[in-house]
Amino acid sequence: MTQHWQELLPIDRYVVTANGLLHDYDRKVLTFLYQPLIGAMTLSLYLTLWAELEENRLWSESHSHHSLMNFMDMNLQAIYNSRLKLEGIGLLKTYVKEDEDIRSFVYELQPPLTPEQFLLDGMLNIYLYRKIGKAQFARVKRFFSDQTMQDSDYKQVTKAFQDVFTSFHPSAFSYSDEMKQDIEMEQEYSYIGRQHPKNIKAEAPDFNFDLLFAGLHENLISGSAFTEPVREVISNLAFLYGIDPIQMKNIVISAIDEDNKINLEELRKSARDWYQFEHYDQLPSLIERTQPVIHQSSKQEPETQEDKLIRYFDTTSPLQFLKDISGGAEPAKAEMKIIEDVMFGQKLNPGVVNVLIDNVLRIADKKLPRGLVEVIAGEWVRNEIKTVKEAMELAKKNRRQYIERAKEKKTTKSGNYKKKPIRTEVLPDWFDKEDKNEAKEKSVAAKTAEEIEKDNREIEEMLKKLRS
């Protein structure tokens, strides 16, 4: 697993540049449109880097990341995680150069999308609507819009360029090599200006266009209809709504117009209608994301049964995990709200949330009590749990400490005193599986080969049930 300190150190240097001028209006766009999705801490990093740029210039001075930590009162891991969010949402490009023991970064700030681009994006607008709700979304739309001129009594009388200006005959002046050299910009320089921001491309990594084409008859729609913009929208929709090629086929068919082309607006509407029909009129949110790659516990093919379970938690969203353990049934809205609040409020990674769900369901007899979820989540946040493996190890450690404390209390009690019952919790399959009688005599950490084999069988059965 790649830790943040392998990618970034306090002594590493950085400079800030910008892909074109950033305007004061961009602050409003960042605050009202981007902040609900990336959080105040991530927005603060963007604004801090922006402030380091000199007015109307494109390069800052060189600084260490230690100075950035002091300015923002944030640890390096928080800065690194915020940087990744800025990169993911298209607000930052990062470049690195390594010379022996010196590592330096260039942080290139990207201008945010225009309000029109963002609110018509087809993906970001869905996430924003799901995050802030109908009323606030309507407020944001009003803030970034105004009435257009519709009075038909007015007619345009604007003069064209050629009506106002005239040009010299080419013979009136000479275009010398010296003049050409003076006009052209030096190779190592570029003009300061505003670059047009590009929409985010979120391609579904496993979307199979060949399978989609195989399900579409050539007489129904030609391959030429799948232009680059159409492919991009299909990839975004597949990522956003979790649509596979078979399901996408019917959505594409419903968006074919009379010219045998794919209407992008109809395509987006059909995909949204399909998702809301499948998910009881809900819209997707960030709870459906899986464990970030940088925090996945294993990058190699799993070998043991426990490795396979870790891989499952790493590559499965909390929503899908709740479905799997419920036999494919949709989770209750109250449960979804609890898990979403933990992910957004406590900032736990999706894979860690999967372990948390599994743990609580077994402890609380297949229920998700909000209080218990929040208590365990708070403990894991304080312990800075970022990976599935760390979550599982902390849960095991707490279990061992609980058993040891219970044993100590039992041995110090006199037989004349009334003994209080010790609560025994139902534990996840990946916890220690030692027999209760044997646990009284042996250390919890000590397992025989037979017990390890039993663990592996139980984990394998759990995986088969989940995958089915």
Side-chain angles (χ1 to χ4, degrees):
M1 184 194 72
T2 302
Q3 300 283 2
H4 73 276
W5 45 263
Q6 295 177 283
E7 299 291 334
L8 194 64
L9 294 173
I11 62 172
D12 291 339
R13 310 290 296 182
Y14 74 92
V15 294
V16 185
T17 184
N19 185 16
L21 291 177
L22 298 171
H23 307 316
D24 187 61
Y25 189 70
D26 293 329
R27 300 183 194 274
K28 298 181 176 64
V29 176
L30 291 165
T31 301
F32 289 109
L33 299 183
Y34 282 86
Q35 183 174 223
L37 301 184
I38 62 178
M41 185 181 297
T42 302
L43 176 61
S44 177
L45 175 60
Y46 185 95
L47 296 178
T48 302
L49 296 176
W50 183 357
E52 293 190 13
L53 291 174
E54 294 181 5
E55 186 176 8
N56 295 331
R57 306 306 300 175
L58 299 184
W59 290 90
S60 74
E61 297 180 357
S62 175
H63 301 284
S64 69
H65 283 81
H66 184 265
S67 66
L68 185 61
M69 293 164 61
N70 290 334
F71 269 113
M72 300 192 66
D73 192 25
M74 288 168 57
N75 59 45
L76 192 63
Q77 183 173 1
I79 290 177
Y80 178 68
N81 292 339
S82 295
R83 191 193 91 186
L84 295 183
K85 289 183 181 179
L86 291 176
E87 293 171 0
I89 207 163
L91 292 176
L92 183 69
K93 289 185 178 179
T94 302
Y95 305 87
V96 63
K97 181 176 68 173
E98 298 188 22
D99 294 327
E100 297 179 356
D101 296 334
I102 301 175
R103 184 166 53 184
S104 58
F105 293 84
V106 173
Y107 293 143
E108 184 183 65
L109 298 177
Q110 306 298 310
L113 299 175
T114 65
E116 181 180 9
Q117 285 178 305
F118 193 105
L119 294 172
L120 297 178
D121 178 73
M123 181 173 65
L124 295 178
N125 56 353
I126 297 294
Y127 285 139
L128 182 65
Y129 186 96
R130 181 69 173 82
K131 187 66 174 67
I132 66 178
K134 180 178 180 179
Q136 293 301 321
F137 190 85
R139 173 195 171 199
V140 167
K141 283 179 61 179
R142 290 194 301 270
F143 183 85
F144 289 110
S145 62
D146 210 335
Q147 291 183 341
T148 58
M149 192 176 74
Q150 297 176 340
D151 196 331
S152 58
D153 293 337
Y154 289 89
K155 63 177 182 179
Q156 186 175 175
V157 294
T158 308
K159 299 296 183 182
F161 178 85
Q162 64 273 14
D163 296 332
V164 180
F165 300 98
T166 185
S167 177
F168 286 107
H169 193 273
S171 61
F173 62 90
S174 60
Y175 188 68
S176 63
D177 292 339
E178 182 180 359
M179 182 179 178
K180 179 181 178 182
Q181 185 176 357
D182 292 338
I183 292 176
E184 291 180 350
M185 176 62 73
E186 292 86 346
Q187 188 174 1
E188 64 271 19
Y189 288 87
S190 62
Y191 285 109
I192 298 175
R194 172 73 169 196
Q195 302 297 319
H196 186 69
K198 297 181 180 179
N199 290 73
I200 296 176
K201 294 183 179 180
E203 297 183 1
D206 56 350
F207 189 80
N208 191 334
F209 273 98
D210 292 335
L211 184 58
L212 171 63
F213 296 150
L216 293 170
H217 199 279
E218 185 69 22
N219 294 332
L220 184 63
I221 183 171
S222 65
S224 60
F226 291 89
T227 61
E228 190 62 32
V230 171
R231 283 173 170 261
E232 182 180 326
V233 171
I234 290 176
S235 292
N236 282 349
L237 293 174
F239 173 82
L240 175 64
Y241 296 115
I243 306 174
D244 63 37
I246 304 300
Q247 296 162 334
M248 183 65 75
K249 178 193 70 173
N250 296 326
I251 294 173
V252 169
I253 291 174
S254 67
I256 300 175
D257 59 20
E258 60 275 8
D259 297 324
N260 200 32
K261 295 181 180 179
I262 299 175
N263 186 304
L264 296 184
E265 287 305 317
E266 284 297 322
L267 185 66
R268 293 189 181 97
K269 183 178 182 299
S270 297
R272 184 170 62 252
D273 291 344
W274 172 88
Y275 184 91
Q276 290 184 299
F277 178 79
E278 293 287 329
H279 297 83
Y280 305 99
D281 206 33
Q282 294 294 304
L283 289 173
S285 64
L286 295 181
I287 193 175
E288 298 191 40
R289 302 284 73 82
T290 57
Q291 184 80 349
V293 176
I294 62 166
H295 292 309
Q296 290 188 6
S297 300
S298 176
K299 301 294 193 302
Q300 299 176 349
E301 195 66 24
E303 297 179 357
T304 66
Q305 295 300 324
E306 187 175 59
D307 289 341
K308 291 179 181 179
L309 184 58
I310 292 174
R311 171 63 65 87
Y312 172 81
F313 285 143
D314 272 338
T315 57
T316 305
S317 69
L319 174 61
Q320 186 59 48
F321 178 54
L322 283 172
K323 287 182 182 179
D324 289 345
I325 60 179
S326 302
E330 279 294 321
K333 291 183 179 180
E335 294 178 341
M336 292 289 294
K337 180 62 176 173
I338 293 172
I339 300 305
E340 186 172 0
D341 288 346
V342 168
M343 290 184 67
F344 282 115
Q346 305 283 12
K347 307 298 183 186
L348 285 177
N349 287 327
V352 175
V353 172
N354 287 335
V355 181
L356 175 62
I357 294 171
D358 186 67
N359 189 12
V360 173
L361 286 176
R362 296 175 184 276
I363 291 175
D365 192 23
K366 299 183 180 180
K367 297 183 181 67
L368 278 177
R370 176 179 285 274
L372 182 58
V373 171
E374 291 178 347
V375 167
I376 296 178
E379 179 190 1
W380 290 6
V381 169
R382 289 190 294 273
N383 283 275
E384 298 184 351
I385 301 301
K386 298 294 183 183
T387 70
V388 169
K389 192 170 184 179
E390 290 171 350
M392 293 169 65
E393 289 175 351
L394 179 60
K396 290 180 181 180
K397 179 181 177 182
N398 291 344
R399 170 61 180 166
R400 294 187 183 109
Q401 291 175 349
Y402 175 84
I403 293 177
E404 290 299 325
R405 287 196 299 268
K407 288 172 63 177
E408 290 175 2
K409 289 180 180 180
K410 193 170 183 178
T411 55
T412 55
K413 290 283 186 180
S414 172
N416 298 326
Y417 289 98
K418 184 179 180 180
K419 298 179 180 179
K420 293 182 179 180
I422 298 175
R423 180 182 174 216
T424 303
E425 297 177 344
V426 181
L427 299 172
D429 291 338
W430 34 264
F431 273 50
D432 298 314
K433 299 294 182 179
E434 292 185 326
D435 184 82
K436 293 180 181 178
N437 295 327
E438 293 177 345
K440 296 178 181 179
E441 303 173 359
K442 301 188 304 181
S443 168
V444 177
K447 285 190 174 184
T448 64
E450 183 180 350
E451 290 169 329
I452 295 175
E453 181 62 27
K454 180 182 177 183
D455 281 352
N456 290 337
R457 287 197 303 269
E458 291 181 347
I459 292 177
E460 185 173 7
E461 290 175 3
M462 178 182 178
L463 287 171
K464 286 181 180 179
K465 179 181 177 182
L466 290 170
R467 291 303 185 188
S468 64

